[in-house]
Amino acid sequence: MSGTGRGGLAKIDTRTKRDDEEMCQDDIATPVKAQTIDELHSLQIKKSAPSTPIQGGTAGSGRSSFDSVVDQDQRNKQQLQSISASLASLTRETGPKVVKGDPASTRKAADTPKLSSQSHHATPALNISDSSLKFTHILYNLSPAELYEQAIKYEKGSFITSSGALATLSGAKTGRSPRDKRVVKDDSTAKELWWGKGSPNIEMDEQTFLVNRERAVDYLCSLDKVFVNDQYLNWDPNHRIKVRIVSARAYHSLFMHNMCIRPTPEELEDFGTPDFTIYNSGQFPCNRYTHYMTSSTSIDINLARREMVILGTQYAGEMKKGLFSLMHYLMPKRQILSLHSGCNMGKDGDVALFFGLSGTGKTTLSTDHNRYLIGDDEHCWSENGVSNIEGGCYAKCIDLVREKEPDIWNAIKFGTVVENVVFDEHTREVDYSDRSVSENTRAAYPIEYIPNAKIPCVGPHPKNVILLACDAFGVLPPVSKLSLAQTMYHFISGYTALVAGTEDGIKEPQATFSACFGAAFIMLHPTKYAAMLAEKMKKHGATGWLVNTGWSGGRYGSGSRIKLAYTRKIIDAIHSGSLLNANYSTTEVFGLEIPTAVEGVPSEILDPMNTWSDKKAYNDNLLNLGGLFKKNFEVFLNHKIGTDHKLAEEILAAGPSF
Ligand SMILES: Nc1ncnc2c1ncn2[C@@H]1O[C@H](COP(=O)(O)OP(=O)(O)OP(=O)(O)O)[C@@H](O)[C@H]1O
Ligand SMILES: O=C([O-])CC(=O)C(=O)O
Ligand SMILES: [Ca+2]
Ligand SMILES: [Mn+2]
């Protein structure tokens, strides 16, 4: 039967000529060197340069390759020891067995369990427990690509969007939980910090902190793997803070990779001991039988131990804002003012600060195509000028549209984390108008994703200090020029009024007063920060402005939010200096100086009274808001504001009067 095919037909002989003679060869590649698919995969991944390079081990240093291998091992060992110490239980064995690398990976990295079992602290034989028998794999400063893979493989709700961003779910909490934030009150913090009415610092004792810390550390050490980020805060090289973030989710690791300053491989080599450590065990609740606990969420800061513990919330903003609280404690000790503000700089080096509560426009307005972005949310003002605390931005993305905010839109690409957004199941295109998961949808991206980012993120002393308020009562003018005393009055007041949800018909605007436009994050009494701001503004000749990014033509429900395009024109006129030279008139009640014209803005909206058809309603709302300001300010009446007593009196007089 040879030579015959299945149907009895003669087989076509393809071997009449030699294959390589005349066959059409469009495959010019040489065959793969691998014999199996696993071998093929092993070829796919090239060993990267060590993330902790050899100290002084440049080419020609005369060291043999054997020396450098030893050094590399030593460094790995030191690093693992440091991480093991960070994760040490305080009541059981001194440190968990840690090993670098993904437990799921079949590749054997240089750090085998043998090396790390030498590096972990000896476990007292009597104290042995199951937890001391296992290894905790450490995923150390992974790259965004590696974190994407971890998230997509292991974390529900992680997807790649059509623009390449990583969509994640933050779980039950889609915003911060300020009522669950606790600070350890010990002898020194009892004296130093602001406690009591209005203060964000809810006390807990050292013992309770340790109970929660142990709970968080035990949870992390019970996992097969944890993520460790070693990064920096503050672009001012003289006041840089080293932070370590230990977390259980790739989402958290990538978020902090984007939000903190990313060390270079050389800087990482010298990282040493962190100044502050976060234990994020957000998936695991706190124990409600624990003293002080009022819910299953607890965010605990211990300044003496330089540690923060997170239990019961996976909202990543807790880490960002927890570190901001830390800076509000550390920086004033060094005569540096920490600020909840955005910051940008013009071509001529003119710097502007944008203060405002959440959602008032710091990120939106500091991200300006015609100016250099220094940062969108957290800054320091020192003797040398301004510096950004962070290495990334955290933009609200509800109703984001490309035309209005092109730079933010374009920053949502590979590497960016988008939280709680809704997307098409097939195209993975995000629908930014969809509020099904949360109103507080967010994008966290490295600052260099904004084309005009100023790297390093530092600048000279500010020329303009812009206070943003989103006034849902519609009575504050779109822009007013402030005296120094008025700037201080409004800075200490920290007003905004937003409307919570938009679904169930009209809701009442809620006035919020948050001292220093960030009461949730300050550690000292507000007047301390206010006195520093006044001193700096005076010394450097900065002008204060109040910009209402909220309602016009009526309050929420009848009027509408001021067009972003108009607010941008107002901000342009502040930056250019043209608004300083405008003609001004003074408003009733708040005594604000309002310009009669701003280029590109309809003049009739500059005085809010003109935009209300019901003048009585306008007046009622104006007086109502003035009353709320007065009532709020009462708690500050008995406080000294700096040493300039004349200014202190002026500040008290700079509020609404009627
Ligand atoms: N006139 C306006 N000025 C500024 N923002 C506006 C205006 N109208 C609408 N918006 C919208 O308001 C939101 C402002 O949010 P933004 O992210 O800038 O807040 P933020 O001050 O940075 O708050 P957070 O501290 O929470 O990050 C954006 O979604 C923006 O599109
Ligand atoms: O912390 C957050 O979730 C976002 C933020 O910047 C703020 O609230 O000021
Ligand atoms: Ca922001
Ligand atoms: Mn903020």
Coordinates of all heavy atoms in Angstrom, one line a residue, residues 102 139 141-169 225 227 229 248-258 409-419 421 423 428 430 432 442-446 449:
D102 N 8.2 35.5 43.9 CA 6.8 35.0 43.8 C 6.8 33.6 44.2 O 7.4 32.8 43.5 CB 6.3 35.3 42.4 CG 4.8 35.0 42.3 OD1 4.3 34.4 43.2 OD2 4.3 35.5 41.3
L139 N 7.7 40.4 47.6 CA 7.8 41.0 46.3 C 8.2 42.5 46.5 O 7.4 43.3 46.8 CB 6.4 40.9 45.6 CG 6.0 39.4 45.5 CD1 4.6 39.3 44.9 CD2 6.9 38.6 44.6
N141 N 9.7 46.1 45.7 CA 9.7 47.2 44.7 C 9.5 46.6 43.2 O 10.3 46.8 42.4 CB 11.0 47.9 44.7 CG 11.0 49.0 45.8 OD1 10.2 49.0 46.7 ND2 11.8 50.0 45.6
L142 N 8.4 45.9 43.0 CA 8.2 45.3 41.7 C 7.9 46.5 40.7 O 7.5 47.6 41.1 CB 7.0 44.4 41.7 CG 7.1 43.1 42.5 CD1 5.9 42.1 42.1 CD2 8.4 42.4 42.3
S143 N 8.1 46.2 39.4 CA 7.8 47.2 38.4 C 6.3 47.2 38.1 O 5.6 46.2 38.4 CB 8.6 46.8 37.1 OG 8.0 45.5 36.6
P144 N 5.8 48.2 37.5 CA 4.4 48.3 37.1 C 4.0 47.0 36.3 O 2.9 46.5 36.6 CB 4.2 49.5 36.3 CG 5.3 50.4 36.9 CD 6.5 49.5 37.2
A145 N 4.8 46.6 35.4 CA 4.4 45.4 34.6 C 4.2 44.2 35.5 O 3.2 43.4 35.3 CB 5.4 45.2 33.5
E146 N 5.1 44.0 36.4 CA 5.0 42.8 37.3 C 3.8 43.0 38.2 O 3.1 42.0 38.5 CB 6.3 42.7 38.2 CG 7.5 42.4 37.4 CD 8.8 42.5 38.3 OE1 9.1 43.6 38.8 OE2 9.5 41.5 38.4
L147 N 3.5 44.2 38.6 CA 2.4 44.4 39.5 C 1.1 44.2 38.8 O 0.1 43.7 39.3 CB 2.5 45.8 40.2 CG 3.6 45.9 41.2 CD1 3.8 47.4 41.6 CD2 3.3 45.1 42.4
Y148 N 1.0 44.6 37.5 CA -0.1 44.3 36.7 C -0.4 42.8 36.7 O -1.5 42.4 36.9 CB 0.1 44.7 35.2 CG -0.4 46.1 34.8 CD1 0.0 47.2 35.5 CD2 -1.2 46.3 33.7 CE1 -0.4 48.5 35.1 CE2 -1.7 47.5 33.4 CZ -1.2 48.7 34.1 OH -1.6 49.9 33.7
E149 N 0.6 42.0 36.4 CA 0.4 40.6 36.3 C -0.1 40.0 37.7 O -1.0 39.1 37.7 CB 1.8 39.9 35.9 CG 2.1 40.2 34.5 CD 3.5 39.9 34.1 OE1 4.3 39.4 35.0 OE2 3.9 40.2 33.0
Q150 N 0.5 40.5 38.7 CA 0.1 40.0 40.1 C -1.4 40.4 40.3 O -2.2 39.5 40.8 CB 0.9 40.6 41.2 CG 2.4 40.1 41.2 CD 2.4 38.7 41.8 OE1 1.7 38.3 42.7 NE2 3.4 37.9 41.3
A151 N -1.7 41.6 40.0 CA -3.1 42.1 40.2 C -4.1 41.2 39.4 O -5.1 40.8 39.9 CB -3.2 43.5 39.9
I152 N -3.8 41.1 38.1 CA -4.7 40.4 37.2 C -4.8 38.9 37.6 O -5.9 38.4 37.5 CB -4.3 40.6 35.7 CG1 -4.5 42.1 35.4 CG2 -5.0 39.7 34.8 CD1 -3.8 42.6 34.2
K153 N -3.7 38.3 38.0 CA -3.8 36.9 38.3 C -4.5 36.7 39.6 O -5.3 35.7 39.8 CB -2.4 36.3 38.5 CG -1.8 35.7 37.2 CD -0.6 34.9 37.6 CE 0.6 35.3 36.7 NZ 1.9 34.8 37.2
Y154 N -4.3 37.5 40.6 CA -4.7 37.2 42.0 C -5.8 38.1 42.6 O -6.3 37.7 43.7 CB -3.5 37.1 42.9 CG -2.5 36.1 42.4 CD1 -1.2 36.6 42.0 CD2 -2.7 34.8 42.4 CE1 -0.3 35.7 41.5 CE2 -1.7 33.9 41.9 CZ -0.5 34.4 41.5 OH 0.5 33.5 41.0
E155 N -6.1 39.2 42.0 CA -7.0 40.2 42.7 C -8.2 40.4 41.9 O -8.2 41.0 40.8 CB -6.3 41.5 43.0 CG -5.2 41.3 44.0 CD -4.2 42.5 44.2 OE1 -4.6 43.6 43.8 OE2 -3.1 42.3 44.6
K156 N -9.4 40.0 42.4 CA -10.7 40.1 41.7 C -10.9 41.6 41.4 O -10.6 42.5 42.2 CB -11.8 39.6 42.7 CG -12.2 38.2 42.5 CD -13.7 38.1 42.7 CE -14.2 36.7 42.2 NZ -14.0 35.7 43.2
G157 N -11.4 41.8 40.3 CA -11.8 43.2 39.9 C -10.6 44.0 39.3 O -10.7 45.2 39.1
S158 N -9.5 43.2 38.9 CA -8.4 43.9 38.2 C -8.5 43.6 36.8 O -8.5 42.4 36.4 CB -7.1 43.4 38.8 OG -7.0 43.7 40.2
F159 N -8.4 44.7 36.0 CA -8.6 44.5 34.5 C -7.7 45.6 33.8 O -7.5 46.6 34.4 CB -10.0 44.7 34.0 CG -10.9 43.7 34.6 CD1 -11.6 43.8 35.8 CD2 -11.2 42.5 33.8 CE1 -12.5 42.8 36.3 CE2 -12.0 41.5 34.3 CZ -12.7 41.7 35.5
I160 N -7.3 45.3 32.6 CA -6.6 46.4 31.8 C -7.6 47.1 31.0 O -8.5 46.5 30.3 CB -5.5 45.7 30.9 CG1 -4.5 45.0 31.7 CG2 -4.9 46.8 30.1 CD1 -3.4 44.3 30.9
T161 N -7.6 48.4 31.1 CA -8.6 49.2 30.4 C -8.1 49.4 29.0 O -6.9 49.2 28.7 CB -8.9 50.6 31.0 OG1 -7.7 51.4 30.9 CG2 -9.2 50.5 32.5
S162 N -9.0 50.0 28.1 CA -8.6 50.1 26.7 C -7.4 51.1 26.5 O -6.7 51.0 25.5 CB -9.8 50.6 25.9 OG -10.2 51.9 26.4
S163 N -7.2 52.0 27.5 CA -6.0 52.9 27.4 C -4.8 52.3 28.1 O -3.8 53.0 28.1 CB -6.4 54.3 27.9 OG -6.5 54.2 29.3
G164 N -4.9 51.1 28.6 CA -3.7 50.5 29.2 C -3.6 50.7 30.7 O -2.7 50.1 31.3
A165 N -4.5 51.4 31.3 CA -4.5 51.5 32.8 C -4.9 50.3 33.5 O -5.5 49.4 32.9 CB -5.4 52.7 33.2
L166 N -4.6 50.2 34.8 CA -5.1 49.0 35.6 C -6.3 49.4 36.4 O -6.2 50.3 37.2 CB -4.0 48.5 36.5 CG -4.3 47.3 37.4 CD1 -4.4 46.0 36.5 CD2 -3.4 47.1 38.5
A167 N -7.4 48.8 36.0 CA -8.7 49.1 36.8 C -8.7 48.2 38.0 O -8.5 47.0 37.9 CB -9.9 48.9 35.9
T168 N -9.0 48.8 39.1 CA -9.1 48.0 40.4 C -10.3 48.4 41.2 O -10.9 49.4 40.9 CB -7.9 48.3 41.3 OG1 -7.9 49.6 41.7 CG2 -6.5 48.0 40.6
L169 N -10.7 47.5 42.1 CA -11.7 47.8 43.0 C -11.1 47.9 44.4 O -10.3 47.1 44.8 CB -12.7 46.6 43.1 CG -13.7 46.4 41.9 CD1 -14.5 45.2 42.1 CD2 -14.5 47.7 41.7
K225 N 2.7 35.7 50.4 CA 3.5 36.7 49.8 C 3.0 38.1 50.2 O 1.8 38.3 50.4 CB 3.6 36.6 48.3 CG 2.2 36.8 47.7 CD 2.2 36.8 46.2 CE 0.8 37.2 45.8 NZ 0.4 36.5 44.5
F227 N 3.8 42.5 49.5 CA 4.5 43.5 48.7 C 5.3 44.4 49.6 O 4.7 44.9 50.6 CB 3.5 44.2 47.8 CG 2.8 43.3 46.8 CD1 1.7 42.6 47.2 CD2 3.3 43.1 45.5 CE1 1.0 41.8 46.3 CE2 2.7 42.2 44.7 CZ 1.5 41.6 45.1
N229 N 7.3 48.1 49.3 CA 7.8 49.3 48.6 C 8.7 50.1 49.5 O 8.3 50.4 50.6 CB 6.7 50.2 48.2 CG 5.7 49.6 47.2 OD1 5.5 48.5 47.1 ND2 5.1 50.5 46.4
A248 N -0.6 43.8 51.1 CA -1.0 42.4 50.7 C -1.5 42.4 49.2 O -1.7 41.4 48.6 CB -2.0 41.8 51.6
R249 N -1.6 43.6 48.7 CA -2.2 43.7 47.3 C -1.3 44.4 46.3 O -0.7 45.5 46.6 CB -3.6 44.4 47.4 CG -4.7 43.6 48.0 CD -6.0 44.3 47.8 NE -6.4 44.4 46.4 CZ -7.5 45.0 45.9 NH1 -8.4 45.5 46.7 NH2 -7.7 45.0 44.6
A250 N -1.3 43.9 45.1 CA -0.5 44.5 44.0 C -1.1 45.9 43.8 O -0.4 46.8 43.4 CB -0.6 43.7 42.8
Y251 N -2.4 46.0 43.9 CA -3.1 47.3 43.8 C -2.4 48.4 44.7 O -2.1 49.5 44.3 CB -4.6 47.2 44.0 CG -5.4 48.3 44.6 CD1 -5.3 49.6 44.0 CD2 -6.2 48.2 45.7 CE1 -6.0 50.7 44.5 CE2 -7.0 49.2 46.2 CZ -6.9 50.5 45.6 OH -7.6 51.5 46.1
H252 N -2.2 48.0 46.0 CA -1.6 48.9 46.9 C -0.2 49.2 46.6 O 0.2 50.4 46.7 CB -1.7 48.4 48.3 CG -3.1 48.3 48.9 ND1 -3.6 47.3 49.7 CD2 -4.2 49.1 48.6 CE1 -4.9 47.6 50.0 NE2 -5.3 48.6 49.3
S253 N 0.5 48.2 46.1 CA 1.9 48.4 45.8 C 2.1 49.3 44.6 O 2.9 50.3 44.6 CB 2.6 47.1 45.6 OG 3.9 47.2 45.4
L254 N 1.2 49.1 43.6 CA 1.3 50.0 42.4 C 0.8 51.4 42.7 O 1.4 52.4 42.2 CB 0.5 49.4 41.2 CG 0.5 50.1 39.9 CD1 2.0 50.2 39.4 CD2 -0.3 49.4 38.8
F255 N -0.2 51.5 43.5 CA -0.7 52.8 43.9 C 0.4 53.6 44.6 O 0.7 54.8 44.2 CB -1.9 52.7 44.9 CG -2.4 54.0 45.4 CD1 -3.5 54.6 44.7 CD2 -1.9 54.6 46.5 CE1 -4.0 55.8 45.1 CE2 -2.5 55.8 47.0 CZ -3.5 56.4 46.3
M256 N 1.1 53.0 45.5 CA 2.2 53.8 46.2 C 3.4 53.9 45.3 O 4.1 55.0 45.4 CB 2.6 53.0 47.5 CG 1.4 53.1 48.5 SD 0.8 54.8 48.8 CE 1.8 55.3 50.2
H257 N 3.7 53.0 44.4 CA 4.8 53.2 43.4 C 4.5 54.5 42.7 O 5.4 55.3 42.5 CB 4.8 52.0 42.5 CG 5.7 52.1 41.3 ND1 7.0 51.7 41.3 CD2 5.5 52.7 40.1 CE1 7.6 52.1 40.1 NE2 6.7 52.6 39.4
N258 N 3.3 54.7 42.3 CA 2.9 55.9 41.6 C 2.9 57.2 42.4 O 3.3 58.2 42.0 CB 1.5 55.7 40.9 CG 1.5 54.7 39.8 OD1 2.6 54.3 39.4 ND2 0.4 54.4 39.3
W409 N -6.6 63.1 31.1 CA -7.2 62.0 30.3 C -6.0 61.2 29.7 O -6.0 60.0 29.8 CB -8.0 62.7 29.1 CG -8.5 61.6 28.2 CD1 -7.9 61.0 27.2 CD2 -9.9 61.1 28.2 NE1 -8.7 60.1 26.5 CE2 -9.9 60.2 27.1 CE3 -11.0 61.3 29.0 CZ2 -11.1 59.4 26.8 CZ3 -12.2 60.6 28.7 CH2 -12.2 59.7 27.6
N410 N -5.0 61.9 29.2 CA -3.9 61.2 28.5 C -2.9 60.5 29.5 O -2.2 59.6 29.1 CB -3.0 62.2 27.7 CG -3.8 62.7 26.5 OD1 -4.6 61.9 25.9 ND2 -3.6 63.9 26.1
A411 N -3.0 60.9 30.8 CA -2.2 60.3 31.8 C -2.8 58.9 32.2 O -2.1 58.1 32.9 CB -2.1 61.2 33.0
I412 N -4.0 58.6 31.8 CA -4.6 57.4 32.2 C -4.2 56.3 31.1 O -4.9 56.1 30.1 CB -6.1 57.5 32.4 CG1 -6.4 58.6 33.4 CG2 -6.8 56.2 32.8 CD1 -7.8 58.9 33.7
K413 N -3.0 55.8 31.3 CA -2.4 54.9 30.3 C -1.7 53.8 31.1 O -1.9 53.6 32.3 CB -1.5 55.6 29.4 CG -0.3 56.3 30.2 CD 0.6 57.1 29.3 CE 1.7 57.8 30.0 NZ 2.5 58.6 29.2
F414 N -0.9 53.0 30.4 CA -0.2 51.9 31.1 C 0.6 52.4 32.3 O 1.3 53.4 32.3 CB 0.8 51.2 30.2 CG 1.5 50.1 30.9 CD1 0.9 48.9 31.1 CD2 2.8 50.3 31.5 CE1 1.6 47.9 31.8 CE2 3.4 49.3 32.2 CZ 2.8 48.1 32.4
G415 N 0.4 51.8 33.5 CA 1.1 52.2 34.7 C 0.1 52.9 35.7 O 0.3 52.8 36.9
T416 N -0.9 53.5 35.1 CA -1.9 54.2 36.0 C -2.9 53.3 36.6 O -3.3 52.4 36.0 CB -2.6 55.3 35.1 OG1 -1.6 56.2 34.6 CG2 -3.7 56.0 35.9
V417 N -3.2 53.6 37.9 CA -4.2 52.8 38.6 C -5.5 53.6 38.5 O -5.6 54.7 38.9 CB -3.9 52.6 40.1 CG1 -5.0 51.9 40.8 CG2 -2.6 51.8 40.2
V418 N -6.6 53.0 38.0 CA -7.9 53.7 38.1 C -8.8 52.9 39.0 O -8.9 51.7 38.9 CB -8.6 53.9 36.7 CG1 -8.1 55.1 36.0 CG2 -8.5 52.6 35.8
E419 N -9.3 53.6 40.0 CA -10.1 52.9 41.1 C -11.6 53.1 40.9 O -12.1 54.2 40.7 CB -9.8 53.6 42.4 CG -8.4 53.4 42.9 CD -8.1 54.2 44.2 OE1 -8.7 55.3 44.3 OE2 -7.2 53.8 45.0
V421 N -13.8 52.5 38.7 CA -14.5 53.0 37.5 C -15.2 51.8 36.8 O -15.0 50.6 37.1 CB -13.5 53.5 36.4 CG1 -12.8 54.8 36.9 CG2 -12.5 52.5 36.0
F423 N -16.4 49.9 33.2 CA -15.9 49.9 31.8 C -16.7 48.8 31.0 O -17.3 47.9 31.6 CB -14.4 49.6 31.8 CG -14.0 48.4 32.6 CD1 -14.1 47.1 32.2 CD2 -13.6 48.6 33.9 CE1 -13.8 46.0 33.0 CE2 -13.2 47.6 34.8 CZ -13.3 46.3 34.3
R428 N -13.4 47.3 27.0 CA -12.7 47.8 28.2 C -12.5 49.3 28.2 O -11.6 49.9 28.8 CB -11.3 47.1 28.4 CG -11.3 45.6 28.6 CD -11.9 45.3 29.9 NE -12.5 43.9 29.9 CZ -11.8 42.8 30.1 NH1 -10.5 42.8 30.3 NH2 -12.4 41.7 30.1
V430 N -13.5 52.8 29.5 CA -14.1 53.3 30.7 C -15.2 54.3 30.4 O -15.1 55.2 29.6 CB -13.0 54.0 31.6 CG1 -13.6 54.6 32.9 CG2 -11.9 53.0 31.9
Y432 N -16.6 57.2 32.2 CA -16.3 58.0 33.3 C -17.6 58.7 34.0 O -17.5 59.3 35.0 CB -15.3 59.1 33.0 CG -13.9 58.6 32.7 CD1 -13.4 58.5 31.4 CD2 -13.2 58.1 33.8 CE1 -12.1 58.0 31.2 CE2 -11.9 57.5 33.6 CZ -11.4 57.5 32.3 OH -10.2 56.9 32.1
R442 N -11.2 57.4 40.8 CA -9.9 58.1 40.9 C -8.9 57.5 40.0 O -8.9 56.3 39.7 CB -9.3 58.0 42.3 CG -10.1 58.7 43.4 CD -9.5 60.2 43.5 NE -10.2 60.9 44.5 CZ -9.9 62.1 45.0 NH1 -8.8 62.7 44.4 NH2 -10.6 62.7 45.9
A443 N -7.9 58.3 39.5 CA -6.8 57.8 38.8 C -5.5 58.2 39.5 O -5.3 59.4 39.9 CB -6.8 58.4 37.4
A444 N -4.6 57.3 39.7 CA -3.3 57.6 40.4 C -2.2 57.3 39.3 O -2.1 56.2 38.9 CB -3.1 56.7 41.6
Y445 N -1.4 58.3 39.0 CA -0.4 58.2 38.0 C 0.9 58.9 38.4 O 0.8 59.9 39.2 CB -0.9 58.7 36.6 CG -1.6 60.1 36.7 CD1 -0.9 61.3 36.6 CD2 -3.0 60.1 36.8 CE1 -1.5 62.5 36.7 CE2 -3.6 61.4 36.9 CZ -2.9 62.5 36.8 OH -3.5 63.8 36.9
P446 N 2.0 58.4 37.9 CA 3.3 59.1 38.2 C 3.3 60.5 37.6 O 2.7 60.7 36.6 CB 4.4 58.3 37.5 CG 3.7 57.0 37.1 CD 2.2 57.3 37.0
Y449 N 3.8 61.5 34.0 CA 2.8 61.3 32.9 C 2.1 62.6 32.5 O 1.4 62.6 31.5 CB 1.7 60.3 33.5 CG 2.1 58.8 33.4 CD1 3.5 58.5 33.3 CD2 1.2 57.8 33.5 CE1 3.8 57.1 33.3 CE2 1.5 56.5 33.5 CZ 2.9 56.2 33.4 OH 3.2 54.8 33.4

